[in-house]
Amino acid sequence: MLGKHLLGIYEKALDAEDDWYQRMAKVKELGFDFMEISIDETDERLSRIYAGDEEIYRIQDAAHKAGVFIQSLCLSVHRRFPFGSADPATRAKAAEIVEKALVFADKLGVRVIQLAGYDVYYEPSTDESKKRYEEAMFWAASQAARYQIMLGTEIMDIELMNCIRKHLVYENKIQSPWYKVYPDVGNISAWGIDPLDDLEAGIHSIVGVHLKDTLCKTADKPGVFKDIPFGEGCVDFVGCLKKLEDLGYTGPYMIEMWHKKGQDDRANVRAAKAFIEEQYRRAMEV
């Protein structure tokens, strides 16, 4: 817990060589309420949503025995298979992934699927790619409604979706209770956007908050959106946490970080958690 909030940890913060039982035991040992599972660009993680019930039950059993749960799913694989692609086969794969992820999440008990706010990533963004992305969001929201699973758009490292206000343009058009936003205070901050103002603009739509440090984009340097140690970046965690509390936010927080092979994942996660807990304590004293 972080105050009254459930606190989660990103799967990739932990050693990828762990099995599910080791991974879930670490989540519990390190003091987290839940883990956010990753379906990313790698074939190994993408294959999870095509797995049979036996594998899903194994994951559930590991979480149950550890006394934790998987509350959200980070569906970053759409970087590889984006909805806005000029290739019809890629767009079809993007849709198939959403359908498979919804079934996987439903069986696993996941409440929120975090969608990456990319029209495209490895190909040029165009008016057409943005139009295709918007049409896909209408469709994805309709599919999520069938399973009563929330889609939360993550604020990203591309300009299409670099703040909550840009997501709200889509949300206001789609008008679905199953299509909301999952902001990352690090990504917002890296763009030089005021995260306090942005959080206030979207507070009615926030289903979860990523906590991550980043380096702000400047006139002569690009922003750095990952692998910045907590406390060494530009994010005003005290200000963001204070603002969310003042706005009445009671949803979960999730620490986003990445394990590097050869490092002690437990020690790194403990240090990150201690940093966030201190920032929260300071925010409550402001």
Side-chain angles (χ1 to χ4, degrees):
M1 300 289 287
L2 187 67
K4 60 180 177 289
H5 303 270
L6 293 178
L7 182 63
I9 185 68
Y10 189 34
E11 175 192 343
K12 290 187 181 181
L14 304 173
D15 193 334
E17 295 184 3
D18 289 344
D19 64 27
W20 285 112
Y21 291 90
Q22 293 169 317
R23 189 172 295 129
M24 295 304 181
K26 283 182 181 177
V27 173
K28 181 67 173 181
E29 173 193 335
L30 294 166
F32 292 94
D33 302 294
F34 70 95
M35 187 194 79
E36 183 166 279
I37 193 171
S38 169
I39 306 296
D40 65 12
E41 297 178 80
T42 65
D43 290 338
E44 186 274 326
R45 287 196 171 98
L46 176 57
S47 69
R48 291 171 175 175
I49 60 175
Y50 294 89
D53 289 347
E54 184 177 345
E55 178 63 12
I56 291 172
Y57 297 151
R58 185 179 295 109
I59 299 170
Q60 287 176 319
D61 185 57
H64 176 74
K65 286 181 175 173
V68 295
F69 55 99
I70 300 173
Q71 180 154 304
S72 52
L73 183 158
C74 179
L75 196 63
S76 60
V77 66
H78 282 122
R79 180 183 293 191
R80 177 180 171 188
F81 299 105
F83 284 111
S85 175
D87 180 4
T90 297
R91 298 198 300 272
K93 185 68 173 181
E96 177 185 296
I97 287 167
V98 166
E99 292 171 338
K100 293 290 186 180
L102 284 166
V103 173
F104 176 78
D106 189 46
K107 291 182 177 181
L108 191 56
V110 168
R111 297 173 175 85
V112 175
I113 293 178
Q114 176 198 316
L115 285 180
Y118 295 126
D119 59 336
V120 289
Y121 191 81
Y122 297 114
E123 58 186 278
S125 179
T126 65
D127 289 342
E128 285 301 309
S129 69
K130 293 172 184 176
K131 180 181 178 181
R132 288 190 287 261
Y133 173 80
E134 181 175 313
E135 291 171 350
M137 293 303 98
F138 275 92
W139 172 82
S142 72
Q143 299 309 298
R146 296 174 59 206
Y147 294 92
Q148 293 184 307
I149 291 174
M150 188 69 67
L151 299 180
T153 302
E154 184 180 12
I155 305 308
M156 303 305 301
D157 54 352
I158 66 168
E159 290 194 25
L160 177 78
M161 199 63 67
N162 66 357
C163 64
I164 296 171
R165 280 186 168 86
K166 288 188 176 179
H167 158 81
L168 292 175
V169 172
Y170 295 91
E171 186 178 321
N172 290 335
K173 290 180 181 180
I174 293 169
Q175 292 287 301
S176 169
W178 306 105
Y179 183 76
K180 299 297 178 182
V181 68
Y182 196 142
D184 182 319
V185 297
N187 287 349
I188 297 170
S189 300
W191 283 102
I193 294 166
D194 181 356
L196 308 189
D197 182 62
D198 206 39
L199 289 167
E200 184 166 0
I203 187 60
H204 60 285
S205 294
I206 296 173
V207 297
V209 175
H210 271 176
L211 301 175
K212 177 184 72 182
D213 219 342
T214 55
L215 291 177
C216 187
K217 177 181 174 67
T218 64
D220 58 343
K221 291 183 180 180
V224 181
F225 292 86
K226 64 181 295 185
D227 287 331
I228 301 300
F230 283 96
E232 297 183 17
C234 66
V235 179
D236 176 11
F237 289 102
V238 171
C240 289
L241 292 166
K242 174 64 174 172
K243 170 60 76 171
L244 286 161
E245 292 295 317
D246 289 346
L247 292 169
Y249 176 72
T250 58
Y253 289 110
M254 205 282 293
I255 293 177
E256 186 175 29
M257 56 188 295
W258 291 263
H259 170 66
K260 293 182 179 178
K261 192 170 183 178
Q263 293 187 353
D264 184 337
D265 57 352
R266 287 182 173 90
N268 289 339
V269 171
R270 283 194 183 99
K273 183 170 180 280
F275 175 84
I276 291 298
E277 288 171 339
E278 174 61 16
Q279 302 307 295
Y280 186 83
R281 183 191 66 77
R282 291 172 57 195
M284 297 304 96
E285 293 177 350
V286 175

